[in-house]
Amino acid sequence: MDLKIAHTSPEALRERSEITTVHTGHDDPDYEDGAVIPADAWQPLTDEQLTAVTADRHTPDHALVELVALPAGAAPTHLADLVAPLGDPDAVHLGRSHSPADARTTTCNGDGGQRIGLHIDNWDRHLLAARHRSRRRLCYNLGPGDRHLLLATVDIRTICRTLQSTPDHQPHTDDFRRYIATGHTTHCVRIRIHPGEGYIAPTELVPHDGATHKEPHPSTTAHWLGHWPANVLERLI
């Protein structure tokens, strides 16, 4: 598996996480046609799956998923509040987004308001050969409700190479949709994020989304992009 999650306790990660398959959505008014959606049959990670998604000393920082604690003090609202603890003065504050309660996935398109399902970000727009240079996303759950981070277990580099894309190809969510639609398989891991907790993840590499499925309360998230080394913030697990 391409997904790599940093932790020091396998049981702590297992306690927060579940795994399922994905499918392509059709004729669903809530989703774009062809969107990749997690199935509802969430299961605990097996020992084999847990080992497969666990980062090791060979995992580069740019590919690492980290669950991180909110720095001491009030929830940050501006990039300046995070320059000192994170150390990247060129990082960008993307703002906040609001997610309603009980949403299977949270990201909507900018046109008809349909959900886009698991997707990759393209803020940096690096081509396939340079995709590893993309910034990671820092996201904090400001509450009031819990939410989940959804992560596919295959990354866009493997997807594009499987589809025989050239090194100068511009990876896109459509590549992931075509990968699933043509019979390739992957799993989706969901990780619970409580209010006051966050993650740093390579969202330009790993298909992902947020979710509040079966959660009774909405949540608001704050987002940044930056080149941050591993362990820059205290880890939760």
Side-chain angles (χ1 to χ4, degrees), residues 14-234:
R14 196 197 304 271
E15 183 179 341
R16 281 182 176 263
S17 305
E18 294 176 290
I19 194 167
T20 191
T21 56
V22 301
H23 64 275
T24 299
H26 294 292
D27 300 320
D28 186 333
D30 291 332
Y31 281 89
E32 292 182 346
D33 192 55
V36 179
I37 308 167
D40 288 335
W42 294 98
Q43 300 290 330
L45 274 73
T46 65
D47 290 344
E48 182 179 5
Q49 290 166 337
L50 189 62
T51 298
V53 302
T54 295
D56 59 27
R57 62 187 180 87
H58 301 294
T59 304
D61 292 356
H62 69 256
L64 193 63
V65 176
E66 299 176 276
L67 304 185
V68 295
L70 191 70
T77 57
H78 301 288
L79 177 61
D81 298 330
L82 286 172
V83 168
L86 294 183
D88 182 359
D90 296 321
V92 176
H93 179 39
L94 299 177
R96 296 187 179 197
S97 58
H98 177 77
S99 301
D102 197 24
R104 181 174 284 111
T105 62
T106 58
T107 305
C108 297
N109 64 30
D111 300 321
Q114 290 180 306
R115 303 193 186 281
I116 66 175
L118 296 173
H119 62 280
I120 62 163
D121 292 340
N122 249 323
W123 296 97
D124 290 335
R125 304 191 63 81
H126 284 307
L127 302 181
L128 181 59
R131 200 69 183 183
H132 61 283
R133 298 176 185 167
S134 300
R135 292 169 291 179
R136 290 192 295 163
R137 177 190 285 255
L138 168 65
C139 175
Y140 281 121
N141 179 12
L142 304 180
D146 286 356
R147 62 187 294 113
H148 287 93
L149 169 62
L150 306 178
L151 298 162
T153 54
V154 63
D155 80 19
I156 197 64
R157 295 169 297 183
T158 295
I159 291 165
C160 288
R161 289 164 186 157
T162 301
L163 297 175
Q164 299 184 331
S165 302
T166 60
D168 62 352
H169 174 67
Q170 172 67 67
H172 191 274
T173 296
D174 286 344
D175 295 310
F176 180 47
R177 293 178 178 181
R178 182 157 65 95
Y179 178 86
I180 298 301
T182 53
H184 299 285
T185 60
T186 189
H187 285 82
C188 178
V189 173
R190 71 176 181 182
I191 306 173
R192 182 174 292 275
I193 309 292
H194 300 294
E197 299 177 345
Y199 63 81
I200 303 177
T203 57
E204 309 223 355
L205 293 178
V206 177
H208 65 283
D209 206 340
T212 58
H213 192 40
K214 297 187 177 179
E215 295 296 332
H217 303 292
S219 70
T220 296
T221 49
H223 305 263
W224 292 260
L225 284 178
H227 286 295
W228 298 304
N231 300 306
V232 72
L233 284 171
E234 177 187 355

